[in-house]
Amino acid sequence: MINNTVKLLDVVALVVDLPQYNLWRGQVGTVVETLAEGAAFEVEFSDRNGRTYESLGLRLEQIMVLHFEPVPPGAKAEMITA
């Protein structure tokens, strides 16, 4: 089973547009804090030089964890609901 649990320092992508913050679906950030007992996360968005341009709390349904390793054959995705 694929572990979709969000953890500190996970790389995540937005799955929604947040125009009020000039952030758009697909932008990548890093989880820097767990909030509301794991129902939300502080995500930091940085440029290629490592300068943070936005940091905000996001709900679980607004982000997805990015995986950098191959998924084993036959693995089933675990759906997380908030």
Side-chain angles (χ1 to χ4, degrees):
M1 191 166 283
I2 301 169
N3 182 0
N4 287 329
T5 304
V6 179
K7 299 178 297 303
L8 192 63
L9 301 180
D10 273 349
V11 177
V12 296
L14 282 175
V15 296
V16 295
D17 292 332
L18 299 172
Q20 66 272 35
Y21 299 104
N22 198 31
L23 293 171
W24 308 98
R25 186 169 23 126
Q27 283 190 272
V28 175
T30 303
V31 174
V32 295
E33 189 70 47
T34 301
L35 307 170
E37 298 178 12
F41 303 89
E42 183 77 16
V43 178
E44 188 173 278
F45 296 88
S46 303
D47 64 19
R48 292 181 187 262
N49 296 314
R51 291 184 295 252
T52 301
Y53 59 86
E54 191 63 71
S55 182
L56 66 150
L58 297 170
R59 295 181 314 275
L60 188 56
E61 63 270 12
Q62 294 176 299
I63 58 175
M64 66 179 288
V65 176
L66 300 180
H67 301 279
F68 296 94
E69 298 295 326
V71 177
K76 288 176 35 180
E78 177 182 322
M79 186 65 133
I80 295 179
T81 57

